[in-house]
C-alpha cells in the first residue's frame, strides 16, 4: 500500500532527526545538523535495499516515489524550523560542514547525471508520455 511508503519515510525522518541532533552535539552546536538530509539519504538507501531484496510492492514504491518528488519542499520546510543563527554562532565548523555538504551533493548529482545513458532517459520519457496519453484518454 502507498501508506507503507509514507511509514518508511516517517521512520527515516525520525532516525535522521535523531542522528542530526547527535551530530550537532558531537560538533558542539545545540542544533540539528543535517537531519533532513540524513533522513532523505536513509530513505534512498532503504528503497534501494528493499528493491534489491524484492520486498517492496509496487504500491509501496509509489509512496516512496511521492516523497522523493516532495524532497525540495520538505527540505525547505524543515530548514525553516532550524535555528540558523545558533548554528552560525556555533562557530566556523557549522558553516564548513554546510559548505562541504553542498559540495558533496553537487558532485554526487553531477556524477549521477553523467552515469545515465541516453537510451534509458529516452525510454523513461516514452513511458511518461504513454502514461500521460492513457491518463487523458
Amino acid at each position: 500500500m502507498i501508506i507503507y511508503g509514507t511509514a518508511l519515510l516517517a521512520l527515516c525522518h525520525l532516525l535522521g532527526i535523531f542522528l542530526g541532533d547527535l551530530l550537532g552535539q558531537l560538533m558542539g552546536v545545540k542544533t540539528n545538523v543535517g537531519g533532513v538530509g540524513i533522513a532523505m539519504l536513509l530513505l534512498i538507501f532503504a528503497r534501494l535495499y528493499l528493491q534489491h531484496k524484492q520486498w517492496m510492492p509496487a504500491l509501496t514504491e509509489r509512496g516512496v516515489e511521492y516523497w522523493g518528488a516532495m524532497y525540495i519542499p520538505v527540505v525547505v520546510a524543515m530548514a525553516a524550523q532550524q535555528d540558523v543563527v545558533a548554528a552560525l554562532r556555533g562557530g566556523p565548523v557549522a558553516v564548513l560542514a554546510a559548505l562541504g555538504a553542498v559540495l558533496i551533493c553537487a558532485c554526487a548529482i553531477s556524477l549521477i547525471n553523467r552515469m545515465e545513458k541516453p537510451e534509458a532517459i529516452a525510454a523513461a520519457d516514452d513511458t511518461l508520455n504513454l502514461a500521460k496519453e492513457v491518463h487523458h484518454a
Side-chain angles (χ1 to χ4, degrees):
M1 291 173 48
I2 295 174
I3 194 74
Y4 292 141
T6 306
L8 181 62
L9 171 77
L11 178 67
C12 292
H13 178 73
L14 291 173
L15 188 57
I17 296 300
F18 172 74
L19 292 174
D21 286 339
L22 186 63
L23 183 60
Q25 288 177 358
L26 290 173
M27 292 176 64
V29 293
K30 295 179 182 179
T31 189
N32 184 304
V33 177
V36 174
I38 293 169
M40 288 298 147
L41 288 174
L42 289 172
L43 181 63
I44 291 167
F45 291 135
R47 176 182 175 199
L48 292 175
Y49 178 77
L50 292 173
Q51 283 178 338
H52 178 71
K53 293 288 186 177
Q54 297 179 345
W55 291 346
M56 184 178 289
L59 286 175
T60 302
E61 188 171 347
R62 289 182 68 193
V64 174
E65 286 175 2
Y66 169 77
W67 287 110
M70 292 294 293
Y71 177 75
I72 299 295
V74 168
V75 169
V76 170
M78 297 308 292
Q81 295 178 9
Q82 301 294 323
D83 189 359
V84 177
V85 176
L88 290 174
R89 287 184 184 158
V93 174
V95 175
L96 291 175
L99 292 175
V102 168
L103 286 174
I104 290 170
C105 287
C107 291
I109 290 169
S110 176
L111 180 65
I112 290 169
N113 284 335
R114 289 187 180 138
M115 289 174 32
E116 287 192 29
K117 296 182 174 118
E119 301 87 27
I121 295 171
D125 285 343
D126 290 342
T127 303
L128 182 62
N129 288 334
L130 180 62
K132 285 181 182 177
E133 289 174 10
V134 170
H135 180 69
H136 290 294

